[in-house]
């Protein structure tokens, strides 16, 4: 009869969980040994728990099913919390398996003893369970899998004491049934249809699975049939399908003042697998709720419902089932030339992006032009920073590449963000993943300089400014990458960058291109930006919209 770990392994793979991103310790040794008992399970070693959790997030976004993480005690789980937070905010299914001391050992309060359940509830509030016996383990695992794959997806945490893992008498559990989402009910569809026919200015705010092709096409048919309906997307989508041949959807801006411009004339805002928009942070004298006064918010489909089916039902109710959707035309920007800057990097990506690429965007301020430059590129998937906790980009790229080995992955990452989970490069090399990482090295936490101005903090001095500078010394990402087995080059001109990107896309990965760029928002722009943002409410609408497009196209 198998021990607990062996039975657990079979339970996982029978339920479709076939990848485990691991950073194990002593308490997990029987689980590690059980990996060899199950050929269907792929084990991917990471050198930091934040890489394991971020990789599981990226994998699930692209595979549409959870991966497992293997983490060591409460400290290991704590090290992975930031990217589990991003997964939670993105409603991404992840199964954490966290080793614990043997049940007979916990009373001694050993050096690594901690309250794992309390740590876990920060990121997996819907399911945290400590398995108490080998006989109960696989039933607990099936419950955890069911919770992770539920509607909407979530992070589930199963805590595995060492003696439960090594104990005999475990029996694998059958796979739990897959959830079947329901569409919006007929009354809701009819009420939303009536709103759209009212002649008022309406917008569909799309998130989650509403940003996949079937839902996008249904939404675009609705917009085509009801001329005044706008299509908007959440500021940081979990996964968005975009590019030539798909409907163009305008993302809500990160800066609240610019988002307010986008929403200013909306009278009826309809949520489709999306949250009503709020400001990322609080600012003195500015509202946190971005819904304009007089605008009414409605929900067509919650994250637990079938967004595509709900939009199809709405299209039929409006007689838009056969309407011709407006699709993004194929278009690539020209090849950039001259001294490299962030906009030229984004232009080069748009010019060279291959078919079916996966873009992981954690470029922060350096990616301001990315959406514009890739709008008409070949069809691709976009993964973004759903929870705002930086350090997601490189691990997400690992997971996406494991989930989709036949697709090129491009990770666009800021220099400060990259250092949070730089160990992901080693895993890319070990697993020979087809990832091209582009790191914007502007030697600064540039976004924090912007925020210092926006929050109205007192005039900063040299000590404060030093907290946002990464120039003493300037990081050398090409050498760091080479030290972890990744082919890497530095580029300071647009010509060199294009040559490096062409090479990377033509040869098996992983690759890293370090783009040496100035800050997108330099000192002069940062001084002007708060003044411009404060002026927006007093501008004529057309001028405000033009200013928004200039700052954040």
């Amino acid at each position: 009869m198998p021990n607990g770990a062996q039975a657990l392994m079979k339970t996982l793979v029978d339920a479709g969980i076939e990848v485990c991103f691991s950073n194990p310790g002593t308490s997990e040794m029987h689980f590690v040994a059980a990996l060899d008992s199950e050929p269907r399970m792929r084990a991917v070693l990471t050198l930091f728990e934040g890489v394991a959790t971020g990789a599981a997030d990226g994998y699930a976004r692209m595979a549409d099913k959870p991966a497992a993480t293997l983490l060591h005690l409460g400290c290991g789980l704590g090290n992975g919390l930031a990217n589990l937070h991003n997964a939670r905010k993105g409603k991404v299914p992840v199964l954490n398996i966290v080793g614990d001391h043997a049940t007979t050992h916990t009373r001694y309060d050993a050096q690594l003893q901690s309250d794992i359940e309390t740590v876990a509830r920060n990121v997996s509030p819907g399911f945290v369970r400590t398995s108490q016996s080998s006989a109960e383990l696989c039933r607990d695992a099936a419950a955890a899998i069911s919770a992770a794959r539920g509607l909407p997806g979530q992070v589930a945490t199963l805590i595995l004491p060492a003696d439960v893992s090594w104990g005999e008498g475990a029996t694998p559990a059958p796979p739990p049934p897959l959830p079947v989402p329901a569409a919006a009910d007929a009354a809701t569809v009819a009420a939303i249809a009536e709103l759209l026919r009212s002649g008022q200015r309406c917008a569909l705010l799309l998130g989650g699975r509403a940003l996949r092709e079937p839902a996008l096409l249904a939404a675009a048919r609705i917009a085509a049939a009801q001329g005044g309906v706008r299509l908007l997307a959440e500021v940081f989508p979990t996964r968005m399908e975009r590019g030539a041949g798909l409907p163009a959807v305008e993302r809500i801006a990160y800066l609240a003042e610019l988002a307010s411009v986008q929403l200013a004339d909306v009278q009826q805002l309809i949520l489709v697998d999306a949250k009503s928009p709020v400001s990322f942070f609080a600012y003195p004298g500015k509202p946190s709720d971005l819904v304009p006064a007089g605008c009414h918010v409605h929900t067509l489909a919650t994250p637990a419902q079938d967004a595509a089916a709900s939009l199809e039902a709405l299209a039929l109710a409006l007689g838009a089932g056969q309407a011709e959707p407006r699709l993004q035309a194929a278009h690539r920007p020209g090849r950039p030339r001259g001294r490299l800057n962030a906009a030229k990097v984004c232009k080069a990506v748009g010019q060279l992006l291959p078919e079916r690429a996966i873009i992981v965007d954690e470029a922060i301020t350096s990616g301001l032009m990315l959406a514009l430059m890739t709008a008409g590129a070949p069809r691709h998937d976009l993964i973004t920073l759903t929870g705002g906790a930086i350090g997601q980009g490189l691990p997400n790229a690992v997971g996406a590449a494991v989930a989709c080995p036949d697709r090129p992955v491009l990770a666009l990452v800021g220099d400060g963000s990259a250092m949070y989970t730089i160990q992901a490069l080693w895993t890319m090399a070990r697993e020979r993943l087809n990832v091209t990482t582009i790191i914007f090295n502007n030697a600064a936490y540039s976004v924090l300089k912007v925020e210092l101005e926006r929050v109205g903090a007192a005039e900063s001095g040299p000590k404060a400014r030093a907290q946002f500078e990464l120039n003493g010394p300037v990081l050398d990402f090409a050498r760091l990458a080479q030290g972890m087995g990744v082919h890497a080059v530095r580029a300071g001109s647009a010509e060199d960058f294009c040559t490096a990107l062409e090479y990377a896309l033509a040869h098996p990965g992983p690759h890293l291109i370090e783009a040496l760029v100035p800050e997108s928002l330099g000192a002069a722009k940062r001084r002007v930006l708060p003044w411009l943002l404060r002026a927006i409410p007093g501008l004529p609408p057309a001028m405000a919209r033009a200013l928004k497009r200039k700052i954040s196209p």
Side-chain angles (χ1 to χ4, degrees):
M1 185 170 285
N3 65 22
Q6 292 164 341
L8 173 58
M9 198 70 65
K10 188 173 191 312
T11 298
L12 295 177
V13 295
D14 285 350
I17 298 180
E18 300 165 330
V19 177
C20 178
F21 296 98
S22 78
N23 188 276
T26 304
S27 299
E28 296 77 48
M29 287 299 140
H30 284 81
F31 185 98
V32 173
L35 289 167
D36 286 301
S37 71
E38 183 45 79
R40 293 174 292 170
M41 177 64 78
R42 178 176 180 179
V44 178
L45 177 62
T46 67
L47 301 185
F48 175 63
E49 294 90 339
V51 176
T53 55
D57 177 16
Y59 174 92
R61 295 190 196 208
M62 296 309 304
D64 285 327
K65 64 178 184 179
T69 69
L70 180 63
L71 307 173
H72 183 46
L73 302 168
C75 298
L77 174 62
N79 282 342
L81 280 189
N83 279 325
L84 291 173
H85 163 82
N86 290 325
R88 179 176 70 88
K89 288 293 187 177
K91 301 177 180 63
V92 179
V94 174
L95 174 63
N96 293 321
I97 299 170
V98 183
D100 194 6
H101 293 294
T103 57
T104 56
H105 188 67
T106 55
R107 67 179 182 270
Y108 298 109
D109 192 25
Q111 283 83 348
L112 276 169
Q113 184 69 38
S114 64
D115 185 348
I116 302 174
E117 291 194 1
T118 294
V119 176
R121 287 192 185 95
N122 288 277
V123 290
S124 54
F127 187 97
V128 177
R129 185 178 299 178
T130 301
S131 197
Q132 298 297 327
S133 71
S134 302
E136 296 172 358
L137 172 59
C138 292
R139 289 195 297 272
D140 293 337
I145 294 165
S146 183
R149 294 193 314 200
L151 300 171
Q154 64 175 300
V155 178
T157 300
L158 177 66
I159 300 167
L160 178 59
D163 52 341
V164 172
S165 187
W166 73 54
E168 301 295 330
T171 303
L178 290 170
V180 180
D185 60 64
T188 299
V189 171
I192 299 296
E194 190 65 25
L195 284 174
L196 297 182
R197 291 193 194 98
S198 68
Q200 298 183 78
R201 293 183 294 275
C202 301
L204 296 174
L205 178 55
L206 311 177
R209 289 182 177 270
L211 293 170
R212 308 287 186 91
E213 181 181 4
L216 287 170
L217 291 174
R221 287 197 296 272
I222 292 166
Q226 302 293 136
V229 176
R230 292 169 59 200
L231 301 183
L232 301 172
E234 289 183 310
V235 56
F236 288 129
T238 301
R239 173 183 168 188
M240 183 177 184
E241 297 183 9
R242 63 191 303 270
L246 286 172
V249 181
E250 182 183 0
R251 284 169 60 186
I252 298 292
Y254 166 77
L255 297 176
E257 298 89 342
L258 302 183
S260 296
V261 172
Q262 294 170 285
L263 297 166
D265 63 346
V266 176
Q267 295 172 298
Q268 305 290 343
L269 182 65
I270 295 119
L271 308 179
V272 190
D273 196 356
K275 180 183 176 182
S276 186
V278 298
S279 174
F280 226 73
F281 299 103
Y283 298 93
K286 298 175 184 177
S288 293
D289 188 350
L290 299 182
V291 177
C295 177
H296 300 281
V297 180
H298 313 269
T299 299
L300 173 66
T302 70
Q305 292 178 299
D306 189 326
S310 299
L311 286 164
E312 289 287 359
L314 181 59
L316 290 174
L318 292 165
Q322 301 303 314
E324 193 68 29
R326 184 178 179 183
L327 304 178
Q328 173 68 53
H331 172 75
R332 289 186 185 268
R335 193 179 181 96
R337 302 184 183 281
R339 185 187 175 196
L340 195 61
N341 60 33
K344 290 179 182 179
V345 171
C346 295
K347 190 175 186 179
V349 171
Q351 217 270 332
L352 298 172
L353 191 71
E355 294 275 357
R356 301 179 66 245
I358 300 166
I359 297 178
V360 182
D361 177 17
E362 197 184 13
I364 320 295
T365 57
S366 293
L368 288 172
M369 300 298 290
L370 181 64
L372 177 67
M373 294 299 182
T374 57
R379 287 179 52 166
H380 57 277
D381 283 271
L382 175 70
I383 290 174
T384 72
L385 188 61
T386 48
I390 62 174
Q392 173 184 307
L394 295 175
N396 266 192
V398 168
V402 171
C404 304
D406 60 331
R407 299 179 63 178
V409 178
L410 278 75
L412 280 69
V413 185
D415 48 359
S417 300
M419 288 304 295
Y420 278 54
T421 47
I422 194 72
Q423 307 91 333
L425 295 174
W426 182 88
T427 298
M428 292 178 193
R430 178 184 171 99
E431 299 292 323
R432 299 181 180 178
L433 300 178
N434 190 21
V435 177
T436 298
T437 298
I438 299 167
I439 294 184
F440 294 86
N441 191 346
N442 59 18
Y445 280 123
S446 189
V447 69
L448 297 183
K449 294 182 181 181
V450 174
E451 293 291 5
L452 183 70
E453 303 280 355
R454 291 182 69 213
V455 299
E459 186 68 26
S460 59
K463 199 185 307 184
R465 290 194 297 271
Q467 306 313 301
F468 310 135
E469 300 290 352
L470 303 179
N471 57 6
V474 174
L475 293 157
D476 189 331
F477 287 97
R479 288 187 178 184
L480 287 168
Q482 290 163 2
M484 286 183 273
V486 173
H487 169 259
V489 295
R490 280 184 143 188
S493 71
E495 290 82 359
D496 286 347
F497 182 86
C498 288
T499 298
L501 184 54
E502 285 173 324
Y503 178 89
L505 295 174
H507 295 82
H511 303 274
L512 182 141
I513 306 171
E514 183 179 2
L516 302 173
V517 297
E519 293 180 66
S520 296
L521 296 172
K525 289 182 179 179
R526 286 198 306 273
R527 282 193 294 271
V528 172
L529 182 61
W531 181 86
L532 290 175
L533 295 176
R534 286 194 296 270
I536 279 176
L539 296 177
M543 188 178 294
R545 288 193 293 270
L547 183 59
K548 185 269 167 191
R549 287 192 295 271
K550 181 71 173 176
I551 297 173
S552 178

